[in-house]
Amino acid sequence: GRKTADVIGSRPLPANTDSVNIPTQDGGVSVAAQADNASVSETDATFSTLAADVKTIAGMQDVSQQLVDRSVPGVDQVIFGDLVKTYATTLDTAVLNSSTSNNKGLLQVSGINAVTYTDASPTLTELYPKIADAVQQIATGIFQPATAIFMHPRRWAFCLAAADGSNRPLITPTAPFNSAGTFGGVVAEGAVGSIQGLPVFTDANIPTTLGSSTNEDRIIVAAVPELYLWEDQSGPYLETFRDVGS
């Protein structure tokens, strides 16, 4: 339930702080050809700080002591397992689409490249060049390659269902010729194949209620090393409170 977060990878959250501050270089330097004994190009770099607030994700359950004592398997194990799974989807949803200031999700960051494809009868052959456009915009903008594609499982199913004029699938396990991508296996969430040489990951937490018709989803093409997620490395933990009102 947290595939995008896992692909990005979480960095150890610094201890004893409620804010992570990242130094940023907002204005770069300059160089230029210099004539003999002429002045040298000089532009002073400018710097600032990007702050990321630390948030706590928590859940609580009330159960009777009798249920804790007599249940097999232990109800606390069942509840904690469910809480951990819900934590995972909550974190991943925030990584994808949080609009909270200083905790922006991928789809909410200002200045991201938007490649629009809207069609009442969409096809994979029309979508394919849009993905290529997103890939080149990353290379053009930051001189770094895109490294991953994230999409909702329904969008990957749309890609798998695409066929050519002879009803041959465009995405196949072996991709013998003229394929739009490769199929890596049936996976609920995770690495499912590749398109244009980039691994494709499906994530059901990608929203499907976007756009003017509120039923659109997004395909995210990303340079993963440029993304930052901090998480307490002790992971989700369980505490039990026995006193009434605790």
Side-chain angles (χ1 to χ4, degrees), residues 103-184:
N103 292 101
K104 296 290 188 180
L106 299 180
L107 296 174
Q108 298 290 337
V109 177
S110 61
I112 59 175
N113 302 322
V115 180
T116 303
Y117 173 47
T118 303
D119 194 324
S121 302
T123 66
L124 179 58
T125 52
E126 292 177 340
L127 173 64
Y128 194 80
K130 301 294 183 178
I131 295 177
D133 188 12
V135 171
Q136 72 83 16
Q137 287 197 42
I138 293 175
T140 302
I142 64 173
F143 302 97
Q144 297 292 331
T147 59
I149 299 173
F150 303 95
M151 65 177 68
H152 193 276
R154 77 175 190 177
R155 190 55 50 209
W156 179 244
F158 160 82
C159 295
L160 292 180
D164 64 11
S166 300
N167 292 322
R168 295 171 297 189
L170 294 176
I171 294 182
T172 66
T174 55
F177 56 88
N178 290 340
S179 67
T182 60
F183 174 60

Side-chain angles (χ1 to χ4, degrees), residues 55-212:
K55 300 295 185 182
T56 299
I57 299 175
M60 183 176 68
Q61 285 284 300
D62 290 329
V63 295
S64 69
Q65 188 61 52
Q66 292 91 332
L67 184 59
V68 173
D69 292 339
R70 305 302 298 175
S71 60
V72 178
V75 70
D76 53 338
Q77 299 178 38
V78 176
I79 291 174
F80 184 55
D82 202 31
L83 285 168
V84 169
K85 292 176 182 177
T86 308
Y87 162 82
T89 57
T90 301
L91 172 67
D92 195 57
T93 299
V95 167
L96 286 164
N97 202 37
S98 171
S99 59
T100 304
S101 178
N102 292 347
N103 292 101
K104 296 290 188 180
L106 299 180
L107 296 174
Q108 298 290 337
V109 177
S110 61
I112 59 175
N113 302 322
V115 180
T116 303
Y117 173 47
T118 303
D119 194 324
S121 302
T123 66
L124 179 58
T125 52
E126 292 177 340
L127 173 64
Y128 194 80
K130 301 294 183 178
I131 295 177
D133 188 12
V135 171
Q136 72 83 16
Q137 287 197 42
I138 293 175
T140 302
I142 64 173
F143 302 97
Q144 297 292 331
T147 59
I149 299 173
F150 303 95
M151 65 177 68
H152 193 276
R154 77 175 190 177
R155 190 55 50 209
W156 179 244
F158 160 82
C159 295
L160 292 180
D164 64 11
S166 300
N167 292 322
R168 295 171 297 189
L170 294 176
I171 294 182
T172 66
T174 55
F177 56 88
N178 290 340
S179 67
T182 60
F183 174 60
V186 179
V187 179
E189 289 193 313
V192 291
S194 67
I195 292 179
Q196 299 185 18
L198 295 176
V200 176
F201 300 91
T202 55
D203 190 334
N205 293 316
I206 293 176
T208 58
T209 57
L210 305 173
S212 58

